[in-house]
Amino acid sequence: MKKLHRYFYTFMSTLTVKWEIYLNAPGAVLLVLLFSCFFLTGTCWSDSNPSTPSPNVTAKALQLAGTRLQLKGDLRGAVLKYRQSLGLQPNKKLENIVLFLEQRLDKSVKKVLFEGNLGDQWNELAAFGGDFKKFVRIEDNVLVVDVPEGNSWGKTGIRSVKPLLKIPEKQGKFAEKLIFSFGPKRSTDFVLAIIPANWDGNLEWRSHHIRVGLKNSSSLTLWIKGREVMRTNLTSGSLEQIGIIVRPDRLVLVTDGTDTILLQGYLPDNLPLYKDGYRISVLTHAPENGMKAKLVLKKIDLEHVPYEELAKAENDPTIWLDKTQKTVLFDGRILDKRWSKYQIGKGSNFSQHVRFVGGHLFADVPKGIGWGKVGIMSSIPLVWLDKFGKGAETRVRFNFDPDQTTGFVVALASMNASAGNEPSEPRALLYWRKNENTNTTKASFFLTPNKPWKPLWEQEFSNKMPEEVSFILTPGGIQIEAPGISKDIIPWELAAASQSFRIYVYSQPEKYKEPVKMALKQILLERKAGEPVEPPTSQKGVESLPVKVLFDGKINEWWEAAGVAGAEFSKFGHFENDQMRVDVPSKISNKARAGLLSKKPIINFNERILSTSHKLKLNIDPQKSTGFEILFHPGKHVDMWGNNFKAAMSLVRCSEGPCAGKYTLLLQNNRNPNHIWSRTINADWVEKKWDGRLTIETGNRWMAVHLSGGPSVRSSGFNIGKNSKLYMTVYSRNYKNYGPAKFALEKITSEWVMPDGMTHMDRFVYVDDEDFDADAFLDNLADELSLKNQSTLSGQTRNILEHKSTKDSTRSRRQMEIEVGREIRFRSTSSELYMTARYGAGKIEVSCSTIEGKAVRTFSGSLISDKNNKYKLIGQAKFKPSPGGDVYYKFSSNGQLVETLWQPKGKHPVFLRWTRVSKTD
């Protein structure tokens, strides 16, 4: 018989997992019924002697009664009888069958756990001044606990004898819902606690994993493992029912009788779940020590409710965009792990001022609470500008209830905001509020960097608050879509491919300490891929910019082998078949890494970075790599993590946690935890489809990481630009401390990105110092400035040009000084001003004067070519007597200066057009 038991349970385990694949539902039910009948009517009740009937006749009778109900199709009644039998005579095998029936056969069954009497499933509970016999009575099958004053915390109630709840598995399709129904008499102060099976149900505060408490009939709070995660104030009426829903994704929801979500929070990912299940404790809890408390408990039910994951894989906003995507980021009801509570300023309190009502998040901040800023922020970037070429569009829609909204802010920000702070810059921020006195509304739009705090535009309306506003991002710009707002596209440097943004939505009144309301219904994201971005090309006959090989699988003058935290390269790394290979085993140290350390700066930027970007390209073998990291630092350090690095990126395969089985691509700006951008990538794509090419692209104060043919990460705010010199490490990287890591690197190259339509003169600006040809430069300069065959200039050939090359050793950059026989002069078309210009490689010197020759202003700066002939900053001007400012210039196709724009500090810009003239003019 024991062997038969083993065969049966082996079969049941297989059936439990695979019945949906091999059997239809009726067939599975029939099989389970037959096997249940066999066990329940057989002679195998006693674990000590299988051939002897159970001495507990009552338990056996209940089992047989349950079998008859099960054969009639009354699963609810059958399970109830089985549970009663188990209360009298424990039987592990029967327990397994009951759990199987409860969790696999009929998910809609509602199981009654308590109906006014303790029965065999509940024990008395009394602690910290509680007394079951004194304070508890049963009235009409309703448990009434009435604790008078003077009894400490008065903890009195009931606790389950055995586990009654199992938290569903991660991949489950159903959630578990505990329903607590309360009697007609008002309950004032109580606690509902869910406690691991082997913990003491009396000591609910120390033992709970989930805890819900009512205080003074109005304040409802959710705790998880002793930490308050959310609180709300009940607005009206008595609380007749509370539901606690535990979902497979570990989200805990607290609802009322109408299924309105009152509270919510997540069980921590690192919290081990008890496979034996959880007990339940229900008790009074005085609001303060020695005060009275009352609980009127009518019933407890357990119900399986369907669970549908909010963010399905195809609707995940962080996935690499295919063609189009439309997904709900926030549905007005549930704050999933992508969102965090947000509050700014003294007095602003999410728990006190925010609740979920009627399918929307409602912020209601009374008068006198500072700026009343409460709402939500995305805990990760949710807006990704993938495939952001021509025709691409990303739209973020915010829907409000205008009748319940008096002020809100919506914002997109590149970086994470520190606790209690405004959305971090750079950002796009729309602030819309209502003036109750004039019954008008006003909208202000801020686009950073903008200092001081002034809007880019501001507009007043006579109508009510808007029902919908949208941010629309297209290549190079942002647009606001809302009633009455101009649809102009505003240029924004962050509207660039691979850039990502966090989302902020919160309330804000028009004036300080005024009341404010905000009713947020939902946030939607719509993405449309654009045309592929074509690589830049040069003009005919112009050679592309050179590509420098820094590493080709063997140690050279650029690199040395290195390792940190016990991972010596000599032990765990080697060079083989034109590859550097690293294989660090587990348990070496918490952050064991090995690979390459540069002997000299790999990044060495001059003025070129102001007008183009630089690329480092790496070839990696995905089949031989599980993780790697790349760091940049101004100094040569073996361990850059511990020495305030400038930038970091990594690609690592996750071995556990929410991202298990995926890779995480990460970009980080220094050690600030708010300056991290990451996204997960399916391991199947990395290991089977990725060709191993990775590009680190750096511009002036921005950086991006591209996986060839796949996802990218980009952000701004990096302290990297002109004059930056950075060393580099390329190491293996483990996912968790003391974990293993493999890494195979084949090649590293360095190159500058040429401007589209690059000319010969452009090329001289962007080549490295050692590649600069002064003679060729002078030939092309004469052509570009039309020096040949010009009557206004003396001489017809480059021989009239006297030149010399100088090198500033302290700054390691080239300067060319050019002198011409006659100066190139321009005259303003709108004022009595003349301008003379002297050109050199990467440099321009300009002076302005009156007709009489009196000097007006002079300036100098870097000569920067631009493919679109747009204004470019060339330096800080020096003015007499006016304050300094920025000067911009524009060239015609033949290199002649035709327009200038002077932007004095704190004053209106001065725009001038110029025509070229001879000196005699």
Side-chain angles (χ1 to χ4, degrees):
M1 186 59 70
K2 288 183 179 180
K3 186 177 294 185
L4 185 59
H5 288 173
R6 185 166 62 253
Y7 292 156
F8 170 74
Y9 285 109
T10 301
F11 172 75
M12 288 293 287
S13 299
T14 304
L15 182 65
T16 300
V17 176
K18 298 183 178 180
W19 73 295
E20 291 182 352
I21 299 177
Y22 297 109
L23 298 170
N24 57 24
V29 172
L30 180 59
L31 281 173
V32 173
L33 290 176
L34 291 174
F35 277 98
S36 299
C37 292
F38 169 78
F39 264 87
L40 299 178
T41 58
T43 59
C44 48
W45 308 116
S46 175
D47 288 338
S48 58
N49 187 353
S51 63
T52 305
S54 170
N56 195 321
V57 179
T58 305
K60 182 177 179 180
L62 288 169
Q63 293 166 2
L64 292 172
T67 302
R68 296 188 186 98
L69 291 172
Q70 187 174 341
L71 288 170
K72 293 178 181 179
D74 185 2
L75 291 182
R76 178 189 173 191
V79 170
L80 181 60
K81 293 296 183 183
Y82 295 157
R83 283 293 181 192
Q84 291 173 345
S85 172
L86 288 170
L88 296 173
Q89 179 67 38
N91 187 318
K92 187 64 177 178
K93 299 178 179 62
L94 179 59
E95 177 74 24
N96 289 336
I97 295 175
V98 171
L99 288 174
F100 175 81
L101 292 173
E102 290 175 343
Q103 298 183 15
R104 301 291 177 183
L105 293 181
D106 188 356
K107 300 297 182 181
S108 64
V109 65
K110 182 184 289 187
K111 180 170 62 176
V112 178
L113 303 181
F114 174 78
E115 266 187 313
N117 292 298
L118 272 60
D120 53 11
Q121 291 199 89
W122 298 91
N123 283 334
E124 300 175 359
L125 187 156
F128 297 95
D131 190 318
F132 192 89
K133 290 182 172 54
K134 286 185 178 180
F135 305 145
V136 176
R137 62 183 185 275
I138 305 295
E139 295 180 355
D140 299 325
N141 289 326
V142 175
L143 180 77
V144 180
V145 185
D146 201 344
V147 181
E149 294 180 349
N151 288 282
S152 184
W153 294 106
K155 295 187 177 185
T156 308
I158 57 175
R159 53 189 175 92
S160 62
V161 175
K162 293 185 176 181
L164 298 179
L165 172 72
K166 280 204 171 185
I167 292 179
E169 298 175 359
K170 183 178 180 181
Q171 304 301 326
K173 296 181 179 180
F174 289 84
E176 299 292 338
K177 182 179 183 180
L178 285 169
I179 305 169
F180 300 85
S181 301
F182 303 98
K185 295 181 181 180
R186 192 181 186 92
S187 298
T188 61
D189 305 274
F190 60 74
V191 164
L192 315 173
I194 297 174
I195 300 168
N198 59 338
W199 286 71
D200 189 347
N202 284 295
L203 306 176
E204 50 82 22
W205 175 253
R206 187 189 70 178
S207 308
H208 76 268
H209 276 190
I210 302 169
R211 185 180 192 261
V212 177
L214 179 69
K215 182 177 179 180
N216 293 327
S217 304
S218 59
S219 179
L220 194 67
T221 305
L222 170 65
W223 292 268
I224 292 178
K225 282 290 291 180
R227 183 177 66 90
E228 180 181 324
V229 296
M230 195 170 182
R231 180 188 301 181
T232 189
N233 291 320
L234 304 177
T235 54
S236 60
S238 61
L239 195 62
E240 296 181 357
Q241 193 176 93
I242 288 180
I244 300 178
I245 302 173
V246 187
R247 307 190 334 169
D249 61 355
R250 294 193 169 209
L251 178 62
V252 178
L253 302 173
V254 180
T255 64
D256 63 9
T258 64
D259 286 332
T260 296
I261 296 173
L262 304 175
L263 305 167
Q264 54 189 286
Y266 276 93
L267 292 168
D269 290 328
N270 60 358
L271 178 67
L273 300 182
Y274 282 70
K275 294 183 178 180
D276 291 337
Y278 289 78
R279 301 181 184 185
I280 301 169
S281 292
V282 184
L283 60 146
T284 52
H285 191 295
E288 301 292 342
N289 196 318
M291 296 182 67
K292 61 182 179 181
K294 189 172 185 178
L295 165 67
V296 182
L297 180 64
K298 183 178 180 181
K299 191 178 183 184
I300 305 175
D301 293 307
L302 176 63
E303 185 176 10
H304 303 289
V305 294
Y307 159 72
E308 183 176 358
E309 190 175 1
L310 285 177
K312 294 182 178 179
E314 63 270 20
N315 293 326
D316 182 357
T318 68
I319 63 170
W320 177 242
L321 179 64
D322 182 16
K323 295 180 180 179
T324 60
Q325 183 185 49
K326 185 175 181 179
T327 183
V328 176
L329 299 179
F330 173 65
D331 66 355
R333 299 176 62 249
I334 293 177
L335 285 181
D336 60 31
K337 289 185 177 180
R338 300 176 299 185
W339 296 97
S340 300
K341 293 173 282 189
Y342 190 59
Q343 57 192 41
I344 315 171
K346 187 177 180 180
S348 298
N349 190 301
F350 186 96
S351 293
Q352 295 180 13
H353 302 141
V354 176
R355 62 183 186 275
F356 295 86
V357 181
H360 58 252
L361 180 149
F362 184 55
D364 187 0
V365 184
K367 186 176 181 180
I369 308 293
W371 279 108
K373 299 179 182 181
V374 291
I376 58 174
M377 62 170 283
S378 63
S379 52
I380 60 172
L382 293 180
V383 181
W384 291 87
L385 305 185
D386 292 332
K387 298 184 179 179
F388 209 59
K390 183 180 179 181
E393 180 180 289
T394 296
R395 179 190 295 262
V396 186
R397 297 179 185 267
F398 303 88
N399 294 113
F400 299 91
D401 183 340
D403 296 326
Q404 298 187 70
T405 302
T406 61
F408 66 79
V409 170
V410 293
L412 300 179
S414 170
M415 292 182 284
N416 189 25
S418 300
N421 290 331
E422 299 276 353
S424 298
E425 296 182 349
R427 67 189 178 196
L429 186 149
L430 179 65
Y431 168 33
W432 208 311
R433 65 278 192 196
K434 185 175 184 179
N435 187 318
E436 298 290 354
N437 296 326
T438 61
N439 200 30
T440 60
T441 65
K442 183 184 288 186
S444 304
F445 180 59
F446 302 83
L447 194 65
T448 54
N450 49 245
K451 297 176 181 179
W453 175 259
K454 290 184 179 179
L456 187 66
W457 56 256
E458 200 163 64
Q459 192 170 341
E460 192 167 307
F461 307 90
S462 58
N463 55 349
K464 64 180 182 180
M465 296 290 289
E467 185 174 357
E468 178 178 295
V469 298
S470 297
F471 286 134
I472 305 173
L473 296 158
T474 52
I478 185 171
Q479 175 186 345
I480 307 300
E481 186 174 86
I485 297 294
S486 170
K487 294 186 178 181
D488 294 339
I489 296 176
I490 304 168
W492 193 26
E493 62 180 10
L494 264 68
S498 307
Q499 182 69 46
S500 63
F501 301 94
R502 285 176 164 85
I503 300 174
Y504 298 78
V505 189
Y506 54 91
S507 58
Q508 182 172 335
E510 183 180 29
K511 294 181 180 179
Y512 187 67
K513 290 191 176 182
E514 282 191 347
V516 63
K517 295 181 180 181
M518 179 189 74
L520 175 64
K521 296 167 70 174
Q522 67 175 357
I523 304 173
L524 297 97
L525 173 69
E526 299 172 33
R527 297 197 292 168
K528 182 178 72 172
E531 299 175 6
V533 179
E534 296 295 332
T537 58
S538 59
Q539 290 188 4
K540 186 177 181 180
V542 179
E543 186 181 355
S544 298
L545 293 175
V547 176
K548 183 179 296 183
V549 177
L550 303 180
F551 177 74
D552 60 357
K554 297 177 286 293
I555 282 290
N556 55 29
E557 71 276 10
W558 285 94
W559 306 96
E560 63 184 57
V564 296
E568 299 176 22
F569 188 89
S570 59
K571 291 182 179 180
F572 308 118
H574 65 282
F575 298 92
E576 178 184 344
N577 297 331
D578 294 327
Q579 285 185 343
M580 178 200 72
R581 296 183 184 177
V582 176
D583 188 353
V584 180
S586 59
K587 299 182 180 180
I588 298 299
S589 69
N590 61 337
K591 295 182 179 179
R593 293 160 168 79
L596 298 178
L597 165 66
S598 68
K599 296 179 181 179
K600 47 190 174 181
I602 298 298
I603 284 180
N604 192 355
F605 293 160
N606 55 15
E607 65 274 359
R608 290 174 289 181
I609 199 64
L610 301 177
S611 59
T612 190
S613 58
H614 177 269
K615 288 183 177 180
L616 286 168
K617 295 184 177 180
L618 290 81
N619 286 17
I620 294 148
D621 188 340
Q623 303 301 319
K624 298 182 179 71
S625 303
T626 60
F628 61 90
E629 68 175 15
I630 300 166
L631 277 76
F632 297 94
H633 195 286
K636 183 183 176 183
H637 297 285
V638 174
D639 183 7
M640 292 185 179
W641 274 108
N643 288 278
N644 298 320
F645 59 89
K646 286 286 186 181
M649 66 76 47
S650 63
L651 180 67
V652 183
R653 198 183 205 281
C654 303
S655 57
E656 59 185 32
C659 65
K662 297 181 179 180
Y663 282 79
T664 297
L665 179 64
L666 179 145
L667 177 65
Q668 183 169 351
N669 179 6
N670 62 57
R671 298 188 68 178
N672 191 328
N674 293 320
H675 298 174
I676 297 176
W677 304 267
S678 67
R679 63 196 307 181
T680 56
I681 308 168
N682 287 333
D684 186 67
W685 183 90
V686 174
E687 296 166 359
K688 296 180 181 179
K689 297 181 180 180
W690 182 43
D691 62 8
R693 290 182 296 156
L694 177 142
T695 300
I696 303 172
E697 186 173 4
T698 307
N700 187 32
R701 297 186 62 80
W702 63 266
M703 183 174 278
V705 182
H706 310 280
L707 298 186
S708 175
S712 303
V713 178
R714 179 193 189 275
S715 196
S716 60
F718 287 81
N719 189 21
I720 300 176
K722 183 181 176 183
N723 300 325
S724 290
K725 296 181 181 181
L726 302 175
Y727 292 81
M728 177 178 172
T729 57
V730 189
Y731 287 162
S732 62
R733 169 72 184 270
N734 51 5
Y735 173 67
K736 67 174 186 175
N737 290 343
Y738 296 95
K742 293 182 179 181
F743 179 41
L745 175 66
E746 298 172 349
K747 193 174 185 179
I748 304 175
T749 61
S750 171
E751 64 185 88
W752 286 93
V753 178
M754 67 178 179
D756 198 24
M758 183 177 69
T759 65
H760 286 290
M761 288 300 294
D762 291 332
R763 192 176 187 280
F764 285 114
V765 171
Y766 293 112
V767 295
D768 290 333
D769 288 353
E770 55 269 27
D771 298 322
F772 180 73
D773 186 336
D775 290 333
F777 165 75
L778 291 173
D779 285 332
N780 283 279
L781 176 63
D783 293 336
E784 289 284 331
L785 298 180
S786 300
L787 295 180
K788 295 180 179 180
N789 302 317
Q790 284 287 338
S791 60
T792 57
L793 296 174
S794 62
Q796 300 297 318
T797 67
R798 68 177 292 275
N799 294 327
I800 67 170
L801 300 174
E802 299 175 7
H803 68 276
K804 59 182 179 178
S805 297
T806 63
K807 188 160 184 177
D808 184 341
S809 59
T810 60
R811 303 182 68 181
S812 298
R813 66 185 181 88
R814 175 186 65 252
Q815 293 183 341
M816 290 296 299
E817 298 178 356
I818 309 300
E819 296 179 356
V820 297
R822 285 188 175 215
E823 295 176 319
I824 305 173
R825 302 186 79 222
F826 302 86
R827 180 173 180 173
S828 171
T829 58
S830 58
S831 63
E832 296 297 318
L833 289 176
Y834 281 88
M835 179 167 60
T836 60
R838 177 171 294 171
Y839 298 86
K843 186 177 181 182
I844 180 173
E845 294 181 354
V846 177
S847 62
C848 295
S849 63
T850 62
I851 297 177
E852 295 79 14
K854 183 179 179 180
V856 178
R857 60 182 70 94
T858 62
F859 62 86
S860 64
S862 300
L863 175 61
I864 303 170
S865 299
D866 179 65
K867 63 182 180 182
N868 298 318
N869 280 339
K870 293 182 179 178
Y871 291 108
K872 287 290 183 178
L873 177 64
I874 63 171
Q876 198 71 19
K878 298 178 181 179
F879 302 100
K880 296 180 180 180
S882 302
D886 294 330
V887 177
Y888 299 76
Y889 68 93
K890 184 177 181 181
F891 277 98
S892 61
S893 59
N894 66 355
Q896 297 184 29
L897 184 66
V898 293
E899 295 177 358
T900 60
L901 179 68
W902 170 41
Q903 177 68 70
K905 291 183 179 178
K907 295 186 178 182
H908 293 290
V910 177
F911 176 80
L912 294 176
R913 291 183 182 274
W914 307 81
T915 58
R916 183 164 177 175
V917 297
S918 65
K919 190 171 184 179
T920 56
D921 292 337

